Amino acid sequence: MSQQHLGILKKCKQGNRKAQMKLYDFYADAMYVVTCRYISNREDAKDVMQEAFFKAFTRLSQYKGEVAFGAWLKRIVINQCIDTLKKRSLVYEEMNDQTMAIIDDDASWEIDIAVTKQEIIQAIETLPNKYKYVLQLYLIEGYDPQEISEILEIPVRTSRTQLMRGKTKLKKIIHDLFKHKISL
């Protein structure tokens, strides 16, 4: 973070509204994109993003600079999205020992079709929510299954299982949607 941003952040911690607007303006577009990955209605996404910024501004004293401010803010935005979805009765199925499956590292992510990141995101959007959000957190946001379990407040094994099942469904969707792109 530049010295200018550190100065703005310091003013924000002191409750300076103009500094908060500058910080908001700097991060709003990026955080809106993150929010839209979880909240499909654009107006609702704006509301959720603004609620996340409000939370961030009220919790600025908790930001210690251990991670980049943008990463700290992004975590708040994602958590706000997840909280909103939970309020809308998003239900994750609880996994028991009989349904537990093991994810076999990254090799199993390979597909035989060349697709773009945007096409993968498009395919993820078609998945049921319980798979969609786990895959978004893993593939797009870069969280591991442990972090995903904490964010979604689900057991780690449920996170891993939903990731594995979502991956299987995603591969099928990608194959069905983009089979015309199969490399020869």
Side-chain angles (χ1 to χ4, degrees):
M1 186 176 267
S2 70
Q3 290 293 19
Q4 179 183 6
H5 280 96
L6 289 174
I8 291 171
L9 192 55
K10 183 178 180 182
K11 288 179 182 178
C12 286
K13 286 183 177 183
Q14 296 167 348
N16 183 308
R17 297 285 183 213
K18 286 183 181 180
Q20 289 176 346
M21 258 332 276
K22 283 183 182 180
L23 201 65
Y24 177 87
D25 289 342
F26 185 78
Y27 286 102
D29 289 343
M31 295 304 124
Y32 179 68
V33 169
V34 170
T35 306
C36 287
R37 290 185 194 135
Y38 299 89
I39 309 295
S40 56
N41 178 291
R42 300 306 183 214
E43 290 303 312
D44 289 347
K46 286 179 187 175
D47 292 343
V48 170
M49 182 191 73
Q50 291 189 358
E51 289 173 28
F53 268 97
F54 179 76
K55 275 187 182 176
F57 287 135
T58 59
R59 296 177 182 171
L60 272 177
S61 62
Q62 296 174 9
Y63 176 68
K64 304 298 182 202
E66 296 160 350
V67 296
F69 180 77
W72 182 81
L73 179 60
K74 183 178 179 180
R75 183 77 181 246
I76 291 173
V77 169
I78 290 171
N79 285 336
Q80 186 64 40
C81 291
I82 300 301
D83 288 348
T84 299
L85 293 169
K86 284 180 182 176
K87 288 176 187 170
R88 293 179 183 171
S89 302
L90 177 63
V91 177
Y92 285 85
E93 64 184 71
E94 196 69 32
M95 310 316 274
N96 61 34
D97 289 334
Q98 286 77 32
T99 60
M100 177 59 188
I102 300 193
I103 294 177
D104 55 348
D105 294 336
D106 290 332
S108 61
W109 285 96
E110 293 176 10
I111 54 174
D112 58 354
I113 301 173
V115 291
T116 65
K117 180 179 178 183
Q118 192 56 43
E119 289 170 333
I120 292 171
I121 292 170
Q122 177 187 345
I124 290 172
E125 286 296 319
T126 67
L127 291 169
N129 287 343
K130 64 185 175 184
Y131 304 126
K132 176 173 144 179
Y133 300 119
V134 171
L135 282 171
Q136 283 178 327
L137 288 168
Y138 183 80
L139 291 174
I140 298 169
E141 310 300 344
Y143 292 110
D144 65 33
Q146 175 66 44
E147 293 169 318
I148 293 169
S149 76
E150 292 169 12
I151 291 168
L152 297 177
E153 297 176 357
I154 58 176
V156 176
R157 81 166 111 188
T158 301
S159 170
R160 289 182 188 281
T161 303
Q162 298 294 36
L163 184 59
M164 186 226 24
R165 289 181 180 173
K167 174 185 64 176
T168 301
K169 289 185 178 296
L170 178 63
K171 286 170 72 172
K172 181 177 179 350
I173 289 168
I174 288 172
H175 189 269
D176 292 347
L177 288 176
F178 305 107
K179 60 186 163 200
H180 64 279
K181 293 178 92 175
I182 294 178
S183 306
L184 298 175

